[in-house]
Amino acid sequence: MTQLTMAKAITAGLRKAMEDDPKVVLFGEDIGRLGGVFRVTDGLQKDFGEHRVMDSPLAESGIVGTAVGLAMRGYRPVVEIQFDGFVYPAFDQIVSQVAKMHRRTEGLLMMPIVVRIPYGGGIGAVEHHSESPEAYFTHTAGLRVLSPSDPQAAYLTIQQAIACDDPVVYFEPKRRYWDKGDVDLSIDATDLAQVPGPWRARLVRRGTDVTVACYGPMVRTCLEAAEASADVSLEVIDLQSLSPLDMDTVVSSVERTGRLVVVHEATANGGLGAEVATRVTERCFYSLEAPVLRVAGFDVPYPPSRLEEHFLPNLDRVLDAVDRAMAF
Amino acid sequence: MTQLTMAKAITAGLRKAMEDDPKVVLFGEDIGRLGGVFRVTDGLQKDFGEHRVMDSPLAESGIVGTAVGLAMRGYRPVVEIQFDGFVYPAFDQIVSQVAKMHRRTEGLLMMPIVVRIPYGGGIGAVEHHSESPEAYFTHTAGLRVLSPSDPQAAYLTIQQAIACDDPVVYFEPKRRYWDKGDVDLSIDATDLAQVPGPWRARLVRRGTDVTVACYGPMVRTCLEAAEASADVSLEVIDLQSLSPLDMDTVVSSVERTGRLVVVHEATANGGLGAEVATRVTERCFYSLEAPVLRVAGFDVPYPPSRLEEHFLPNLDRVLDAVDRAMAF
Amino acid sequence: MTTERVPAAAAVQLLTPEGERVPHPDYDISLSDDVLRDLYRDMVLVRRLDTEATALQRQGELGLWAPCLGQEAAQVGSGRAMHENDFAFPTYRDHGVAWARGVAPLEILAMFRGVTNGGWDPIRKRCAPYMIVIGNQALHGVGYGMGIQLDGAEEAVVAYFGDGATAEGDVNEAFVFASVYNAPVVFFCQNNQWAISQSQERHSRVPIYERAAGFGFPGVQVDGNDVLAVMAVTAHALDRARSGDGPTLIEAYTYRMGAHTTSDDPTRYRHANEVEVWRLRDPIERLKVFLARQGIADRAYFDVVEHEADELAILVRDGVRSMPEPSIDAIFDNVYAEPHPLMEEQRRTLHAYEASFADGAGA
Amino acid sequence: MTTERVPAAAAVQLLTPEGERVPHPDYDISLSDDVLRDLYRDMVLVRRLDTEATALQRQGELGLWAPCLGQEAAQVGSGRAMHENDFAFPTYRDHGVAWARGVAPLEILAMFRGVTNGGWDPIRKRCAPYMIVIGNQALHGVGYGMGIQLDGAEEAVVAYFGDGATAEGDVNEAFVFASVYNAPVVFFCQNNQWAISQSQERHSRVPIYERAAGFGFPGVQVDGNDVLAVMAVTAHALDRARSGDGPTLIEAYTYRMGAHTTSDDPTRYRHANEVEVWRLRDPIERLKVFLARQGIADRAYFDVVEHEADELAILVRDGVRSMPEPSIDAIFDNVYAEPHPLMEEQRRTLHAYEASFADGAGA
Ligand SMILES: Cc1ncc(C[n+]2csc(CCOP(=O)(O)OP(=O)(O)O)c2C)c(N)n1
Ligand SMILES: Cc1ncc(C[n+]2csc(CCOP(=O)(O)OP(=O)(O)O)c2C)c(N)n1
Ligand SMILES: [Mg+2]
Ligand SMILES: [Mg+2]
C-alpha cells in the first residue's frame, strides 16, 4: 500500500498501462514537458519519449480526430482535454466518429480511445473550468463513461479504460486530485478474475434508511453527509460507471431502503440523476416510499467562482434532500 | 385558413418574421438560391435579397459563431443546420457562447439566435441524417428548445422563436415536413394577448386512462395510436417546448389518468423522457398507478435505413407500453 | 450567374482536353501501355457503376446515390497512384477511389442501399469507410499517418475532401497537425466547383491549392480531368510523404457533371451550358483519344471494356436487388466491442416484442 | 531547448530595440507628441495594473491572473489604433486592449476576482467580454463585421488571439468567412511564442502571418514590441477594412515575459535566459528612450506617469478588496432574457433553503 493523491494514482495507472502495452500513446495540450496543467502526465514524456507522450497543437477536434486515425492504425490513444469546458470543439469527432466507427464498420475497426477530462467545480476557477458535461456523453450510444472517486479506483479504472476495446470518456474529479488515499499498486487491474471490472457501482457505505447515489467529486461529499447524519442511516453508492449504469446495485439497495437521493454537480435538467431516477422507479415502483429526489447543480451556466459554494451540492443540501425523502 | 405543408408553414413564418423586423437575417448552407435542401427557405432570397438570406461557407461552427457576432451587432440571425447530424461541429459555439453570452455580460448582450435543425428519422436516409440530438440542448442551461408538430404550430412558433430575446434551438421534424394542415396565416404570432406563447405543452387529444407525452414527429404517431386504441383511452400531450418543459400541463393530466408514457425517437438513455418521468414522479407520486414508461429509440447509433422501422417508436410500440402501464 | 471557370495556368496537365500528350518539367511520368489501358478501363467501369447506381436509385433500389460523374480521372488517377499499403480516406462520392482500392462494387453500394453504414473491411482494403460528416476524415488521415510514423513504416495516406470541405475547421486543423508532425499525408481536394448549390467562390477567393503554403507545406493544382497528370502528381506527393518529406495538398480541378446526389436538382442553381462546356473536357474521352492515337488501344480493346462494363452493370443490378436484408439483431451488434448490459436488455426486449406479433399475440 | 527567436526580417519596425526611429516604405506614421506620450503612459499604466493584479492574486484577492507583461506595445498600439466605433474582441490576456477601449481597471479585474464572468458593458465600450475558449471570438468578430457591412457603416473590428489559437478550427473558419464576405475585420495575432508550455513551433512551421495569403487576404508581421509599428500597421489594416478592402491578418511578434497565468510555472518548460534576452527588447523602455532622446518627454513627465501609476495601484488594491460580493440571486439572474419557470422555481428553492439556516432551522 502506498499513499497517493488521485492525480498521482492516475499517473501511476497511465505509466503501468504504457509499460504493459507499447501501443498506448498519450496525446494532448501541454502534457509533455509540463506534465499537463494538473501534472497528471508528469514524468511520462521523460520516461517514454516524445513519440509516446505527444504535445498536441491547441485544437481539440484535431486531438480527437487524429486519435481516431491512430486507433485505426492499431494504437490505443489516451488523450487529455485540458478542462471540461474545452471538450466541446471535439464533440463532433466524439459523437460522429469515436462513438460510431465500430458500429459503422460492423466491428472491423475498434476505437480503444480514452478521453481524459478533468471536470467539476470547487476550485475557484474562471469560466469554462468547472463544468460537468458528462450527460452529453452518457446520452451518446457507442461511448462508455467512467468517473473515479478515490485514488485506488482511479489507479485501477484508468488502466481498465485503456485496456477496454471501446472508447471511454474518463471524467477525473479535479477538486479531488489532491485527496490522498491508500493505493495497492500490486493489483493487476486487467486481471478480471482478481478485480472487478470498472462497469459497476460500488457500495461505499452501508446504511438502512436512504440510498444516496453519487459519483466522482460528490462521493466524498455524500460520505461526509452520511457521517454527519445522526438520525437517518445513509447507504452511499458510488456509481463509478456512468455509462453503462450498473442498475442492479442501485436497485438492490433501494429495495432495502425504499428511498433514493441522486447527487451530482451537473445541472439537474436532463442530468444523469433523471436517468437513474427513471430506471429505479420503473424497477422499484412498489418498494419506493418516496419519489427519487435529486440534488444537483441549478439549471444555470456555472456561476462565477465567488458563487460556486451556493451552486454546488454540499453536505447540507444532501441532508436536506434526505430529510425531504424521509418526510414524504 | 390555408392548407399548407409544415415546410411551407415554416417558410411562411420566416417570411412574416422577416417582414416584421428588418433585423431578422437568414444564414446557412444552400439556403439561398436552392432554398435549402428541404426548400424551407424557398423564395426568400429572391424576395429579401442576398444580404438577408445568405449562403454560408460549409462550416457549422462558423455559421453559429458569426451568428453570435451578428447578434452582438443587434441582428436576429436565424441559422439553418442542414441536418441533425451536422450540428455537432457547432456544439462549442452553441454551448459556450450562444447559451452563456447573456449571462456572462449580466444581461447586457442578448443572443436572439434561432438555430433551425431538421431532425429525426423515417426518411430512409444515410448515416447522420436521422438523428434526434435534442437532449444535448435541453441539458444546456441558457438555451430554449422548441419542436413543432403540425403546420399551424410551426407557423406560429417559428415566429415566436425569432421574436424571443433568448437563443432557441428549433427542431423541425423532417419527416413531417410534407404533412399538410390548416394554417391561419392571419393570426399574429407575437400578440400574446391573442395567442399562447410557445413555452407550453398542448393537450392535443383528451382521454382518461393513460397520458401519452410526446413531441415533434411522434405526435402524429401517438395520435394514431390513440385512435387505434380500442379499450384504453389515451390523452395525448404535445410537449412542444422541450426546454423549458411545461410540467403543469403534464402533471394535471397525469393526476387525472394516473399513468404516463413518454415517447420520443431519441435514444432512451439520458433522453428527455427521463427528465419528464423524474419530474412527474416527484409531483405525482401518490397519483401514479404505474411507473412512467418510456418508448424511445434503442441506445444505439441510428441504424442503417433498412432497419429504421425496427428502431423507431411506432404505433404498436406505443400501444405496447400503454398495455404495460395498464397492467402494472 | 456563373462565368466559365478553368484550372489555373499553373495547373499540372499532361493530356490536353483534346487528348494530346504535353510535357511537364516536374511531373512527367512514363507509364506502361498496360497501366494506361487499365486506367481507361477503371474509369469506364467506374462510370458504368455510377450510372447504374443512379438508375437503381431512380428505381427505388437505393436510398440515395452521390454520382462521381466527371470526376473519374481525379479519383482513379489518385487511387491508382497509391501503393498497396497506403491508406485512403474517401468521402461519399469517391467511388473511383474505393474501386481503385479493390472495394467490390456491391460493397460500395451497400451503404446507399441502407443495409449498412460501412460496407467493406477497411483494414484489408486499406480504405476507410466513406465519410459523410464533411471534413472529419482529414484528421483521421493525419492520425493514421502519425501512426505510420510511429511504426517507422514507409507508407502514406491520401485524405480526400471537396472544395466545400476546405471551409470546415477539421480540414484546417488537419493541415496544422500534418504540418507540425510532418505526417505522411497527401490531402487530395477534388474541386468539382460545387458544394451542393454553392459554387467554389463561396468557400475561397483564391485557388484552393494556395492554402497549403500558409500551413508550411506545398500545394499543387492539377487538371483533375487528366488522369495522367493526377496520377503523376499524386505519386510524387506520396513519394515525398513516404520518404519523410511531409504533407502535400493537391487540388484536382474538375467538375461535378451530375447532381450533388440523387435528391438534388441542380437546375435550381446552375446553367446547363456550364455542364456542356465541361462535357468537352471529359476525362474518359481524352484518354481514349490518346490511347487510340498512340495505338496503345484499339477498337477491339474498347469493345472488351465496354463488354466488361455491361457485365458489371448486370452484376450490380442483380446484386443490389438480392442484397440480404440486415437482421434486426444488427441494430445491437457491434455498437460495443465488449459486453454491454443495455444492448443485451434491449435486444431481448425487441425480440420479445417482435415475437408477440409472430404469435398473433400483439396488442 | 529553445533557440533564440526573432521577428522575420520582413517584420515592420519603426523603433529599434534601442529606441531609434527607422523609416518604413509602407507603414511610416507620424504621430503628434501628445499621442506618443499617451502611448507611453498607457503602457506604463497597463504594466502597473498587470503587476498589481499579479500581486493581488498572490495575496489571494484574485482567483487567477493572466499577465500581459511584455505585450503592452502590441495591445496598446493596436487598441489605440481603433476608432471609437470600432469593436474589439479580446482574450483573457488583453488588458492593454481593454484599457485602450476605456474599460475601467476594476472592471478588468472583476472576472479574475470571481464576482462575474464579464465585467463591463460591451456595447458602450465597444469591447467584447474576455473570451476564454480559445478561438471562439475570431468568429464573433467576423459576424460582427458582417453586421457592420449590412448596416453600411464605416466601422471595423479587431479580433485578438494568440499563436496557439491559430491551430483551432474556429480561427481558420473565421479566416474563410472573413475572406468570402470581405468582412471589415483585422485579425490581430499576438505571437508571444508560447501557448502555455508549448512553443510556437508546435502550432506552425512557417511564420503565422503567411497563413493569410492562402485564405485570400494580406498578412503582415510587425515587431510586436514596437508600439509605433503596431499602431501604424493596425491603423492601416483598419483603414482597409473600413473602406471595404476586407480583412488583414497581423502577426505581432512579441514575447510573454511572465507565466501563462498565475497558476503556471514556466521554469518547467523554458530557460530563464530566453526571458533575459527579451527583456532587452522591452516595449516600454524603447519608447521611453525614444521620447527622451527626441525631447518629446522629460524626467518630469516620466515622474508624473510614475505617480499616476502609483495611484492606479492604490485604486486597484483598494477597489479589488472592496468589490461587492455577488448576491446569490445573481446565480439565476440573466440566464435568460425572458421569464423562465425553472429559474423562478430554483431561485425560490435556494432562498428557502438558505433561509432555513438563518432561522436556525437547518438539518
Ligand atoms: C458537417 C457537415 N455539414 C453539412 C453536410 C451536408 N453536405 C453534404 S455534402 C455537402 C457539400 C460538400 O461539398 P464538397 O466538400 O465540395 O464535396 P462534393 O459534394 O462536391 O464532393 C454538404 C453541405 C455534411 N455532410 N456534413
Ligand atoms: C478551446 C480551449 N482549449 C484549451 C484551453 C486552455 N488554454 C488556455 S490558454 C491556452 C494557451 C493559449 O495560447 P495562445 O493562443 O498562444 O495565447 P496566449 O495564452 O499565449 O496569450 C490554453 C491551451 C482553452 N482556454 N480553450
Ligand atoms: Mg465540391
Ligand atoms: Mg501565445
Side-chain angles (χ1 to χ4, degrees), chain B residues 69-134:
Chain B
L70 280 162
M72 290 174 73
R73 180 77 189 181
Y75 284 88
R76 304 183 89 85
V78 182
V79 307
E80 175 173 307
I81 299 293
Q82 203 159 70
F83 282 88
D84 34 66
F86 308 138
V87 68
Y88 310 122
F91 201 66
D92 179 42
Q93 286 283 354
I94 294 175
V95 168
S96 299
Q97 301 298 338
V98 175
K100 295 190 174 73
M101 188 70 90
H102 185 66
R103 174 75 192 82
R104 181 179 301 137
T105 59
E106 282 154 21
L108 292 167
L109 286 180
M110 290 210 283
M111 287 286 115
I113 295 173
V114 177
V115 181
R116 294 180 40 241
I117 310 179
Y119 82 120
I123 63 161
V126 293
E127 206 186 352
H128 310 291
H129 290 71
S130 305
E131 303 187 5
S132 295
E134 62 273 17

Side-chain angles (χ1 to χ4, degrees), chain B residues 55 61-62 73 75 106 166, chain D residues 116 151 155 170 173 181 330 337:
Chain B
D55 274 337
S61 192
R73 180 77 189 181
Y75 284 88
E106 282 154 21
D166 291 314
Chain D
T116 175
D151 292 345
E155 301 169 25
D170 271 18
E173 293 190 8
Y181 292 104

Side-chain angles (χ1 to χ4, degrees), chain A residues 188-209:
Chain A
D188 181 350
T190 52
D191 176 3
L192 297 185
Q194 268 196 56
V195 289
W199 317 115
R200 44 153 208 133
R202 301 160 68 212
L203 205 168
V204 287
R205 188 183 195 277
R206 291 218 163 259
T208 51
D209 299 328

Side-chain angles (χ1 to χ4, degrees), chain A residues 55 61-62 73 75 106 166, chain C residues 116 151 155 170 173 181 330 337:
Chain A
D55 274 338
S61 191
R73 181 77 190 179
Y75 284 87
E106 282 154 21
D166 292 314
Chain C
T116 174
D151 292 344
E155 301 169 25
D170 271 16
E173 293 189 10
Y181 292 104

Side-chain angles (χ1 to χ4, degrees), chain C residues 81-357:
Chain C
M82 296 174 74
H83 290 182
E84 198 183 326
N85 276 338
D86 296 335
F87 207 105
F89 288 81
T91 80
Y92 47 85
R93 195 188 300 290
D94 295 323
H95 317 307
V97 175
W99 173 273
R101 297 311 290 160
V103 178
L106 292 174
E107 290 178 328
I108 295 177
L109 268 60
M111 174 184 110
F112 294 96
R113 183 156 171 95
V115 300
T116 174
N117 290 330
W120 57 85
D121 184 337
I123 300 299
R124 267 191 44 231
K125 309 288 180 179
R126 303 192 85 70
C127 181
Y130 280 168
M131 283 292 145
I132 290 175
V133 184
I134 300 293
N136 280 181
Q137 75 283 359
L139 282 165
H140 305 170
V142 175
Y144 191 94
M146 290 164 62
I148 292 176
Q149 287 178 303
L150 289 175
D151 292 344
E154 270 202 32
E155 301 169 25
V157 161
V158 184
Y160 289 87
F161 48 83
D163 45 316
T166 59
E168 285 282 6
D170 271 16
V171 169
N172 293 283
E173 293 189 10
F175 293 165
V176 171
F177 280 66
S179 168
V180 164
Y181 292 104
N182 207 37
V185 178
V186 177
F187 295 111
F188 194 93
C189 176
Q190 286 168 75
N191 180 355
N192 64 7
Q193 304 183 46
W194 291 96
I196 308 189
S197 74
Q198 303 187 173
S199 67
Q200 50 169 319
E201 293 79 20
R202 178 57 56 208
H203 296 103
S204 187
R205 60 184 198 189
V206 289
I208 288 168
Y209 74 94
E210 293 183 10
R211 181 80 59 88
F215 288 88
F217 55 91
V220 51
Q221 198 187 53
V222 62
D223 180 337
N225 286 15
D226 171 354
V227 70
L228 301 189
V230 170
M231 194 162 180
V233 166
T234 312
H236 184 261
L238 281 166
D239 277 347
R240 268 179 47 87
R242 281 189 223 97
S243 41
D245 292 336
T248 304
L249 169 62
I250 298 174
E251 177 191 2
Y253 202 86
T254 178
Y255 190 78
R256 195 195 78 207
M257 295 295 292
H260 169 69
T261 67
T262 46
S263 305
D264 179 40
D265 172 12
T267 64
R268 291 180 69 100
Y269 54 80
R270 70 183 189 187
H271 283 314
N273 63 356
E274 187 182 296
V275 184
E276 285 317 310
V277 168
W278 277 87
R279 217 180 289 284
L280 304 176
R281 306 200 183 113
D282 188 277
I284 299 182
E285 265 314 297
R286 83 166 79 169
L287 184 63
K288 188 174 185 182
V289 170
F290 171 72
L291 293 181
R293 275 218 207 111
Q294 301 288 311
I296 298 168
D298 54 14
R299 168 169 289 270
Y301 178 76
F302 297 136
D303 285 348
V304 167
V305 172
E306 208 49 40
H307 182 71
E308 260 195 279
D310 292 340
E311 284 185 334
L312 173 65
I314 293 169
L315 178 142
V316 162
R317 279 198 297 269
D318 294 353
V320 162
R321 293 209 175 84
S322 57
M323 222 175 254
E325 292 292 298
S327 78
I328 65 163
D329 270 310
I331 291 178
F332 306 102
D333 289 344
N334 299 311
V335 175
Y336 296 93
E338 301 196 359
H340 191 289
L342 270 187
M343 294 305 97
E344 299 326 308
E345 186 186 316
Q346 297 185 354
R347 189 194 299 267
R348 274 197 309 275
T349 308
L350 182 56
H351 274 290
Y353 170 76
E354 303 265 340
S356 73
F357 291 95

